[in-house]
Amino acid sequence: GHNNNDGQLNASHGSIFPLYSTISNPNEIVKESRGKSSQAKANSKTKSSNSKAKNKKHQIDNSKQGKPYKLVIVESPSKCKTLSKLLHTYATNHALPYTFQVDSCMGHVRDLPQSVKDVPPSLRHLYTPTVLGINFNDNRYEPLYVLPTDRQRATVKRLQQLSSDDDCVGVILATDEDREGEAIAWHLSCLLQEDHEKEEKAMERVTFHEITPRAIEHAFFGHNDNLNPDHNDNHENSSSTLPPRRQVDMDLVTAQETRRVLDRLAGYTISPLLWKKIAPGLSAGRVQSVGMSLVVQRERERMAFRNSEYWDLQGSFSTDKHATSNTFRATLQELNGVRLASGKDFDGSTGELLHDKKVHHLTDQDAQQLLTILDTEDSTWKIQSVTSKKRSNKPPAPFTTSTLQQESNKRLGFSVSDTMRFAQTLYEAGYITYMRTDSTHLSQDALDAIQEQVTEEYGNENLASIDPNQRYSKSKPKIKTKSKGATNTTIPEVKSQEAHEAIRPSLIHGNAFVSPSSLSTSSSSSQNLPQAAMKLYQLIYSRTLASYMADRIVNITSVFLEGTSSDETTTAIFRASGTVEVFAGYSKAWGATNTNTNTTLSHSNTTQSLPSFPPNDSETITYLHCSNLDAIPHKTEPPPRYTEASFVKELESLGVGRPSTYASVVQTLRNRAYVGSPVSSSSSSSQGRRRGSSWKGDKGGGGGGVAISAVRAAGGEEFMGAASGPMVPSLSAFVVCSLLEKHCPSYVDPGFTARMEERLDRIAQGTSIGEQSRDDLRVSYLDEYYGGDEGLAALVEKMDKEVSAEEARRANLPSFQSQIKNREGEDDDEIGLFIGPWGPYVQRIESTTSSQTSQTPTTHEKGDTKPKVTAALPQGLAADPSSLTVDMLVMLLKSREKDGILLGTHPSDGRSIRWKLGRYGAYLQWGEAGDENTTNHSVPKKLGGLGGRNINLPNSEAGSTSMTAVMPDITLEEAVGYVNLPREVCYIQDLPVTAAIGPYGPYLKYNNTFVSLLEKDGDVLTIDPETATQVVTDGIINKSSKLARNVLAELGEKNGSQIRIKDGRFGVYMNWKKVNVKIPKEYLDNPSEIPLEEAWNLISEKADTSSKNSTSKNRKKNKTGQEIALPPAPKRPKSAYLYFCAEKRPLVAQKMKTLGEVSKELARLWAETAQDETGGGREPYEKMAAVEKEEYEIKKQEWTEECNKVLKDKGGKSKSSSKLSPTTKKTAKTATKTNGKRSPSAYMIFCSENRERTKGTNGEKLSFGDIAKKLGQMWKECDEETRSLYQSKAEKLKQ
């Protein structure tokens, strides 16, 4: 794009950014991508009156009909309201001859196609063969931009109508000032350019970093001496008020497009291979895969880590033997002149001391012996030296995107996605500056405001002598790189967004920030800010003020004590330290933090108060008295798992990705189940399982929500967890990372990715290399990454040919290697852990001497093949890969080989009871497999795992002694009790109360009604009659199970009902009547502390949303856009089977034990009624169903007529009943069907007739999958005559 002489923006249609390649009319692609013929631009326009009517809700109301306006296009709809008010006020106050209409483009209006159907048929030969949406002709990597969704097409059409209106005198592109916003502005200029070239309408590019009157006035109406003095705008009163205009920055657009194409090349090349070799739902990405490898590498370090134990001594000391105050604690540092070993002196991989460390390793025995020597009355203690020094802690810099994400995660518990969503809310409401920035720079106006507010709130003495710009702009930061096979290097950091300001509060009231206290009162209600957004504003406000405050000064005193044994053969040096704050400085606003970790200091030994001692040069010897001398054990700790805060910090330090993309990277890792926070990890158990709603795609990014198949491959829903917990890699992350490290090492190399990011930043800055043009630089960059013999395409093609699916699916955990080597008595079999489309599984593979690494079955001399033994891991077992052991996997295989583990025999009938593992966990089998009376029984989850209880197993089942630690955590006595369920506990009003276990856990049943049995109420085997009576009375008889059960606390009463904190299946939540609301993250540790008003606000918001959603199904809109409420649709009629079940269920329920058995028995009885020829079969129920259906048809017709009458009266369009609402459409469609089930196809008829043939000659049983495969093969082998025979049968049935 370039500025022509009249200041308008023209779009480039060259090879760099082709507008739909050879298609020049944007309307053509809109229609052609949907399979329709293109239409001319003239046909796409409407009259101005129609345009205004259809877009009324998107525009500012003009004071006068037909008044000229300028169309302002922003990205977000929520930004329109604030911006339109400011522009309309300015236009009115300054009597401008035009007004403004603000509309939103809803983010990106064009993008690369998501599927082949989005590509016009005439272009599919260019943009679909290799990578969807990329043309590889002449290796130019030309992208194809389309409008893939109805929303984008409707948005573009609306904007074209507004911009082509006769009253429109110009278009202002006011998208965000980052790389993505610049690209959106360029795409909009391409889509709207043709209209303006013909009608000579100005198109301007405007940016602003905060939505305040001053910033908007400067951006839209400020003076600009660089404007062309000869420019003449007929709609401006004076040239002095011309707004600052600039062209679209094509360097930023080039960088954005290069990054987008690069991500498409990476994802669409590797992801299909992962689907093919491992499991569907997995994905790979340029930054995503590097982030995944960082998390996996950290977990590998933790698995390979070997703990080491070391000891020291700690004692309490005082100057007075009988003193109760002025005592302090000191820790042993040296023993006989040799420093004591600490955690840093051990090798984490071996657990041994490092060879180059000359230290004394104090063991448990040594510590107890030393304690005996020193803890005597004859030992002497004296002061050896005292040192004191002052330390200045500098205030933190203003927030950038990454530091905001880190601090909000550490201090507020927000996820990265939540942080960006709340920051977006604050920015669009006009309370903070733009939240995507790499800069810590502050404008002079902001510095003046900070200076004034620091002086007002904390006093002039706490104001720094230099401003933050001077403090933090002295040196450029360096980016660490970790390249494999090379030493760590540094890359000069090239900032692509340094022109932006840091994240700070906006200047709203003159030159002042809005204080958090005033934000939480009247202004918050007007802007509907959530509580979390206000907490984030408090964080930004405090950080901004702290950056311009004085240093925090502390005095650190260290005291070294010398202790000598009575025989003077042992000398020990102890150390005590204390910190005294001399000057608070910035900590008044930000709090006392550690300058190394930037986290709030905890009270520990380093913050204790020390008594005053004489200086070192004093000749006076100070003797001390020692008490409470203790031996303290310590263990070395593995490197901690990443949290979202530390993960973002690591990505930034390595130069991988950019802060604006970190939220989407983290969300994608979670959505693809590469990373989770299972409850079994070190996350707080009070957070419980991650709510299902959190996995439906976060607004902050992540790409379409969680992939269910990816979660299944990772080990099930147990892998989910709270976003504030540690980031634990799944088994699928290990598998994918190992595959890429072996075959595409640069793809997961942080150093390589950082260098690619640095080159992208250089493209964004317009930095050329030699004589290369912008386009040549882009092409060479992409070709280096994707093309050539060492490019990504060649590596993936080679991987596809050489790597088998079994090899790709294997998980190589470091903790397994040593365990497998140390196992004895397991022959030469190798244990392998794999993942597949249906989840993780373990497999025993027989190794041979010729190929120890072979993973294929061994073929013996006679030609037979030893089958592999495979067992699926139960859901939840692999949620935390670090908890898996080889013994667990061996036990699973033994359970599979021996048809479970025999616990013993039932004392009543002598039948065996076996503990078995299935797909959904452990269960008990009573009887031998294949026997008619054999039944399966559930066990509680707490007893269904691999525990550590020693139980008496039959000798034939015990096996290796190493298996004791992972035997089933259940005794034979308990197993007998579980298989005897349900059991009668007591009687209430002559009706029994029975206890049993169902799909959702233990429960009590009374009068065909069920209530869950919680752990606090007792065990299903041992619950007493008194407790059972109370549970049934509260949960069933009083019909208060939904209000009184699971209640943890009551917050107070609102509108006649209590707001309660309850514990449910998915964690703790708030309840009021029938409204359930999840607990805010900041109150998860203590939900009862939620203020009543805040809880009521959350419940009211949820209730309003639920009400709108429930009524929206029966609402229509008239021509003016107003909603029309329609009467509710009639209830669907019952079927004959439902009438049958309602009559027979009470009788069947008394005989059957579980709900599943009741359903099966009802289905069996219903099938028997079809054979009854006496007239008492199905006929009575079918008559009842027919009568109700006839009544339903009459009611439906009346309802349809009533709806059409309402629509006609309210100006809506009358429609048939099948189109009135999504719900009623389905109802009407079902009710008007005449043929019942769909007729079977030829293949279905073939399968029904030939299913018996799949059993083979021996009559062996096959799984459903094997039967389906065999039938499919038989159908393929059928000749044309046979197929036509079945097709004719299908046609007859269809008729």
Side-chain angles (χ1 to χ4, degrees), residues 32-50:
E32 189 163 355
S33 64
R34 302 173 66 179
K36 298 179 181 180
S37 61
S38 62
Q39 64 179 22
K41 172 189 168 185
N43 294 334
S44 68
K45 293 184 178 181
T46 59
K47 295 183 179 181
S48 59
S49 57
N50 294 335

Side-chain angles (χ1 to χ4, degrees), residues 1122-1140:
Q1122 296 176 340
E1123 286 190 343
I1124 303 174
L1126 299 178
K1131 189 177 180 181
R1132 288 182 59 187
K1134 293 180 182 178
S1135 65
Y1137 180 64
L1138 288 178
Y1139 276 109
F1140 172 81

Side-chain angles (χ1 to χ4, degrees), residues 750-762:
F752 175 80
T753 305
R755 290 190 292 273
M756 300 294 279
E757 289 285 356
E758 186 265 343
R759 290 182 60 184
L760 281 172
D761 285 343
R762 294 192 180 278

